[in-house]
Amino acid sequence: MILNEEQQMLADLSERLFADKASVDTLRAIRGGSLGADYDTDLWQAMVESGLTGILVPEAHGGMDFGLVSAGLVARETGRRLALTPFLSTAVLGAIAIGRAGNAEQHKQWLGPIAEGALIVALAVDESGKHRPERVAAGATAEGDAFVLGGEKTLVVDGPNADLFVVSALHDGKPALFAVDAADAGVTVEAVTSVDTRSMANVRFDNASAQRLDAEDDALDDVLNAGRAMLAMELVGLSRAVFERTLAYLSERKQFGMRIGAFQALQHRAAHLSVEIEISEAMAFQALAAFDAGVADASQQILAAKARAADTARLAAAEGVQMHGGMGMTDEFDIGFFMKRARVASELLGDANFCAERFARARGY
Amino acid sequence: MSDLEEFRAEVRAWLEDNCPEEMRQPLASDAEHVWGGRRWQFSSEAQRVWFERMVAKGWTAPAWPVEYGGGGMSADEHDVFKAEMKRINARSPVSNFGFWMLGPALLKFGSEEQKRKHLPEIARGEIRWCQGYSEPNAGSDLASLKTSAEIDGDHFVVNGRKIWTSYADRADKMFCLVRTDPDAKKQAGISFILLDMDTPGVSTRPIQLISGESPFCETFFDDVRVPRANLVGEMNQGWTIAKYLLTHERDNIGGEPPGLLKGRDLAQMALQAVGADDQGRLDDPMLRSDIARLEIDAMAFRALVEQTRAKAEAGEGMGARSAMLKYYGTELNKRRYNLMMDAMGGLGLEWESEQTGGGRYAREWLRSKGNSIEGGTSEIMLGIISSAVLELPKG
Ligand SMILES: Cc1cc2nc3c(=O)[nH]c(=O)nc-3n(C[C@H](O)[C@H](O)[C@H](O)COP(=O)(O)OP(=O)(O)OC[C@H]3O[C@@H](n4cnc5c(N)ncnc54)[C@H](O)[C@@H]3O)c2cc1C
């Protein structure tokens, strides 16, 4: 696919914004505790100001109401620069969950604040270390107009900073989505720092009061697919960044009296990797466009995109470390941060095996 | 209705009326591919009718200009046409190296006279072409070729030997790379000429492949006299044409799988051959996983092919990217055939048997191994990507 004018503008805008504001140095500062926050608050503020937090929020609620292709252009930059913000959890998963599954009242209550950067949302779906969205033990029961919700969730990205949780739970034996205020007395958040320096959480709900989000039946599928699509784009951006660094090193480092990029063993591996990256990027864009257009097999395309992008990013990171030799193993050198993020982004919302398995099922074999 | 939609409606109606039912079925064997040429014999009435109707429309070469026997379609119309052909699974009415390789090269580099003579002959399926590039000592290092062409009055006199010349024994004419300046740097002394396989001094010897078939030959030239008018482009400038033609060859080899797997779903073939478990899943979890990974890669590869086409149409140019597509597409195709063999089990082992149409599974699997060799090997493609796309240092 070729970007339209609006998308091209957004691509340019986010490239500039992230080049300007996001850096691995910030990630180091967050890790060392010297930033005083567990995400890049300056960058997040800049994203709010350029409207990126409202990229998927309808105009009526102060957003830009762009599609997933546009959001993907932002996600690609977050991957390239290893930007650490709640973009995925809030601007994508949160906005889509509330947008698709919430009623008019709930839209009014939360979508505006998402666009304004005044609300951080975290999706609480998984209950075990591997993504299995249909394995739900958490349950909700009606109490008058509201609900009370109980259960335990894990892998809750941005959980420690969340103002609001979107939670999957059974009601009358069927899975549904609920919104729970993080300040509710029935909510206990145990923060976990992941290998990529991000904040995740294990969250326990004990009779927490909840609102049901129930405008659409298959909303959770849409939310998860949108998230997978974003992760695929992030992984594509990450692969490109690692590859650029690796190529530069191949053209610069000398051994045996020549630049190591002249060794055919490395050339062919680099060439192979470049093809993998091109293919994964084309797949990701096509899948995002399919989602926006509501094409019948969009979810298959997204599964394919996520599986491929995950494998590609892990290959790019592994080759990146290997081709940098000892330097690639040092903490001082940035490439390890990319490898760590690739590992996490591959795992979230379904790893390559999960995606391939679902893909096969969807294709009837 | 937009012009394009009107065009679609016309094409659809015409195809519905004119494409015989038998020509909407997948090829039962490679023998059903229509190559055309002076000695071509149709194997069925439907084949002949379909060929003649398409030739009359100029739709055998849909995107070539009308004055050269083509359909004169724009890029958008051509896309519509291909989609409509695919919609009814219409077979190609005729195709050979003239369509995929020589035609595009002549359109770009041929003289007006050459275009007017050769392109309509190709489009009408009258002449079948073969490709005389490789030699015993010039394969990947094609530019070191030695077959010589010396000028004698109005003629070249060609001497030497080509090898791996696909269908040389069945072709009418050859486009051929010859050395016209033995003293120049190797790429600078090559010319691109056209010759008739019936010229005295040309002989061929078929070579049998591991698939048991002999589609390619050794070709010998013994004082073969070729008119100088058959030179395409300038003297000693043949390398540029040769490379341009190769990008078209590569696009073709890297494209959709031919033969058995064309238009067939590998997973469904596997389900039939292996069976399903109680949940309807392919009853071989490892094979199922391999097929899913293959299908994902194939879907993603098509996305890149389409993106590359769209960019080329928008004027960005393909250039060395065709090496990427050739590399990945052919490796994918080999994987696909390996998995087909895994799925077919015993049927895949049959060589001479009626139920497999004479061992089609095994033969096509073996033939697929050549995909990553013909038209430039995978290693050579990776080399082109390294230097032309990634601009890595030279050794
Ligand atoms: C089915 C089939 C049909 C064909 N049809 C035609 C045809 O119609 N007309 C025609 O002219 N030719 C044809 N060919 C020939 C084809 O183009 C050559 O086989 C191909 O270019 C490789 O040359 P080669 O066979 O001499 O192998 P070599 O060049 O000898 O290669 C041997 C091995 O060495 C590797 N290698 C060589 N150089 C390098 C390098 N620099 N770096 C790393 N690895 C290297 C190759 O990748 C390969 O693995 C056909 C081939 C096949 C298999």
Side-chain angles (χ1 to χ4, degrees):
Chain A
M1 67 163 289
I2 294 182
L3 299 182
N4 65 29
E5 212 170 304
E6 173 187 286
Q7 291 161 343
Q8 192 55 55
M9 263 170 57
L10 190 76
D12 296 343
L13 176 134
S14 30
E15 183 172 358
R16 273 197 312 276
L17 179 88
F18 284 87
D20 214 28
K21 299 268 184 219
S23 78
V24 181
D25 289 342
T26 315
L27 198 55
R28 289 179 188 277
I30 292 169
R31 186 180 65 174
S34 64
L35 197 79
D38 59 2
Y39 65 95
D40 188 342
T41 43
D42 284 353
L43 173 62
W44 186 239
Q45 198 47 44
M47 288 171 77
V48 172
E49 280 157 21
S50 9
L52 297 183
T53 44
I55 196 161
L56 295 172
V57 171
E59 283 174 21
H61 300 285
M64 301 205 281
D65 204 12
F66 287 173
L68 225 49
V69 170
S70 300
L73 293 166
V74 179
R76 189 172 59 170
E77 293 305 313
T78 67
R80 257 179 86 183
R81 308 280 171 190
L82 290 183
L84 207 172
T85 71
F87 179 73
L88 174 68
S89 56
T90 300
V92 177
L93 297 170
I96 292 195
I98 293 163
R100 294 265 160 129
N103 57 34
E105 191 59 35
Q106 292 163 332
H107 286 172
K108 213 153 90 198
Q109 191 178 356
W110 293 312
L111 289 178
I114 287 179
E116 288 157 24
L119 182 81
I120 291 183
V121 186
L123 183 69
V125 167
D126 284 312
E127 301 189 359
S128 62
K130 293 303 283 186
H131 177 66
R132 291 290 180 275
E134 70 289 351
R135 260 191 222 159
V136 187
T141 43
E143 249 182 32
D145 275 352
F147 288 81
V148 292
L149 190 146
E152 288 184 45
K153 298 286 178 178
T154 187
L155 287 170
V156 182
V157 176
D158 292 324
N161 298 309
D163 303 303
L164 185 76
F165 291 103
V166 171
V167 190
S168 63
L170 295 174
H171 174 58
D172 283 343
K174 278 192 296 203
L177 286 177
F178 295 85
V180 178
D181 191 328
D184 191 275
V187 176
T188 315
V189 176
E190 179 205 349
V192 179
T193 305
S194 48
V195 61
D196 60 343
T197 319
R198 319 256 158 161
S199 287
M200 303 213 274
N202 300 317
V203 184
R204 208 174 68 236
F205 301 94
D206 292 305
N207 288 320
S209 40
Q211 286 192 39
R212 183 158 181 192
L213 300 167
D214 59 357
E216 262 181 53
D217 260 2
D218 51 0
L220 182 60
D221 277 344
D222 271 359
V223 175
L224 296 174
N225 279 329
R228 290 172 190 137
M230 283 309 103
L231 286 161
M233 283 300 277
E234 181 182 346
L235 286 161
V236 164
L238 183 153
S239 304
R240 286 216 175 276
V242 179
F243 189 53
E244 276 163 25
R245 283 160 206 247
T246 307
L247 271 186
Y249 196 66
L250 290 178
S251 298
E252 161 199 317
R253 168 76 174 163
K254 281 191 175 160
Q255 283 294 282
F256 299 97
M258 58 174 126
R259 289 180 292 169
I260 57 171
F263 296 127
Q264 199 184 50
L266 299 190
Q267 287 187 340
H268 284 195
R269 277 159 56 187
H272 172 79
L273 177 55
S274 77
V275 179
E276 293 284 353
I277 295 173
E278 290 291 333
I279 291 176
S280 289
E281 180 165 76
M283 182 70 244
F285 269 120
Q286 186 187 287
L288 267 55
F291 184 95
D292 285 342
V295 171
D297 74 343
S299 63
Q300 284 176 35
Q301 294 195 34
I302 287 177
L303 290 167
K306 173 86 198 311
R308 254 204 140 266
D311 285 345
T312 301
R314 286 162 63 182
L315 179 66
E319 291 287 57
V321 168
Q322 180 67 19
M323 293 186 195
H324 279 85
M327 176 84 100
M329 285 300 293
T330 62
D331 182 69
E332 191 190 329
F333 195 63
D334 289 346
I335 214 150
F337 285 89
F338 287 94
M339 178 174 264
K340 292 167 184 170
R341 180 59 190 163
R343 177 66 248 178
V344 174
S346 299
E347 187 69 45
L348 293 176
L349 305 183
D351 64 6
N353 292 331
F354 172 91
C355 292
E357 201 282 331
R358 290 303 162 100
F359 178 90
R361 222 191 277 184
R363 310 267 294 186
Y365 60 92
Chain B
M1 201 157 48
S2 75
D3 288 355
L4 207 56
E5 286 314 304
E6 222 164 276
F7 177 76
R8 184 188 299 279
E10 272 170 38
V11 170
R12 185 172 293 186
W14 190 88
L15 290 176
E16 276 304 344
D17 290 348
N18 290 283
C19 182
E21 196 48 45
E22 298 99 299
M23 294 296 104
R24 304 181 192 198
Q25 310 302 324
L27 297 186
S29 80
D30 279 346
E32 292 190 351
H33 179 100
V34 180
W35 291 94
R38 291 175 190 145
R39 284 166 287 171
W40 183 255
Q41 303 274 325
F42 291 102
S43 63
S44 74
E45 186 57 14
Q47 228 184 33
R48 191 186 58 77
V49 167
W50 178 225
F51 169 88
E52 284 172 0
R53 289 177 183 167
M54 288 288 274
V55 166
K57 281 294 249 190
W59 284 1
T60 50
W64 293 2
V66 178
E67 63 267 36
Y68 305 137
M73 291 182 199
S74 68
D76 283 346
E77 287 172 343
H78 195 194
D79 283 346
V80 166
F81 175 77
K82 281 188 284 193
E84 289 303 314
M85 289 280 283
K86 197 166 175 173
R87 195 184 68 89
I88 60 166
N89 285 322
R91 290 186 191 176
S92 153
V94 54
S95 76
N96 63 51
F97 292 19
F99 292 93
W100 316 316
M101 301 189 214
L102 182 63
L106 281 182
L107 280 169
K108 192 166 165 79
F109 296 101
S111 66
E112 190 55 33
E113 203 184 329
Q114 286 167 340
K115 289 187 218 177
R116 290 205 182 266
K117 171 166 172 52
H118 298 295
L119 294 174
E121 280 181 357
I122 295 170
R124 289 193 302 263
E126 289 166 3
I127 295 295
R128 179 172 176 180
W129 287 87
C130 66
Q131 177 188 31
Y133 274 32
S134 308
E135 296 180 6
N137 288 312
S140 297
D141 184 12
L142 181 61
S144 68
L145 61 93
K146 289 209 168 60
T147 295
S148 67
E150 284 172 21
I151 290 175
D152 178 21
D154 284 346
H155 285 80
F156 291 109
V157 180
V158 179
N159 279 290
R161 183 151 68 118
K162 295 285 173 183
I163 196 165
W164 321 131
T165 330
S166 296
Y167 306 108
D169 53 342
R170 281 165 258 178
D172 306 308
K173 295 184 183 178
M174 172 189 273
F175 48 92
C176 186
L177 295 179
V178 290
R179 184 154 302 282
T180 37
D181 182 352
D183 302 323
K185 189 174 158 260
K186 58 185 183 178
Q187 284 88 351
I190 295 172
S191 297
F192 189 104
I193 62 169
L194 309 175
L195 60 89
D196 199 306
M197 297 298 279
D198 288 341
T199 321
V202 179
S203 58
T204 60
R205 186 180 68 82
I207 304 171
Q208 197 171 48
L209 293 189
I210 51 178
S211 60
E213 275 134 31
S214 20
F216 62 24
C217 296
E218 213 169 347
T219 309
F220 303 90
F221 305 98
D222 187 8
D223 285 333
V224 176
R225 296 184 70 81
V226 177
R228 280 182 71 178
N230 288 10
L231 171 73
V232 180
E234 303 286 312
M235 271 297 267
N236 298 321
Q237 300 290 310
W239 187 244
T240 311
I241 307 174
K243 282 197 303 187
Y244 178 80
L245 185 144
L246 276 174
T247 63
H248 283 272
E249 175 176 12
R250 286 169 190 160
D251 289 350
N252 195 60
I253 299 172
E256 291 281 303
L260 254 176
L261 288 174
K262 184 171 181 182
R264 285 194 184 83
D265 184 334
L266 179 57
Q268 292 306 317
M269 286 167 73
L271 268 178
Q272 252 185 8
V274 180
D277 68 10
D278 53 11
Q279 290 188 50
R281 294 177 302 206
L282 182 59
D283 195 13
D284 182 336
M286 301 313 226
L287 177 62
R288 176 172 181 261
S289 152
D290 285 349
I291 291 179
R293 293 305 182 108
L294 173 92
E295 283 206 327
I296 285 173
D297 288 344
M299 181 187 260
F301 176 65
R302 279 196 305 275
L304 180 66
V305 171
E306 269 163 39
Q307 189 197 66
T308 309
R309 285 232 171 94
K311 285 187 175 168
E313 279 164 20
E316 279 193 34
M318 281 273 279
R321 290 176 74 89
S322 73
M324 288 193 163
L325 301 185
K326 201 277 175 178
Y327 164 65
Y328 200 85
T330 57
E331 294 295 335
L332 198 61
N333 207 31
K334 287 195 298 181
R335 253 170 83 196
R336 190 181 268 121
Y337 274 100
N338 283 342
L339 291 179
M340 179 196 77
M341 289 297 275
D342 289 344
M344 298 321 293
L347 271 185
L349 306 180
E350 297 185 7
W351 189 253
E352 302 287 356
S353 77
E354 206 161 303
Q355 65 171 342
T356 61
R360 269 191 97 189
Y361 299 104
R363 290 174 199 270
E364 288 198 19
W365 161 65
L366 288 162
R367 175 62 183 82
S368 73
K369 302 297 177 200
N371 291 164
S372 52
I373 301 171
E374 58 202 314
T377 68
S378 281
E379 291 75 21
I380 293 304
M381 295 305 106
L382 290 171
I384 293 174
I385 298 165
S386 305
S387 59
V389 183
L390 307 180
E391 299 179 347
L392 283 167
K394 305 230 182 308

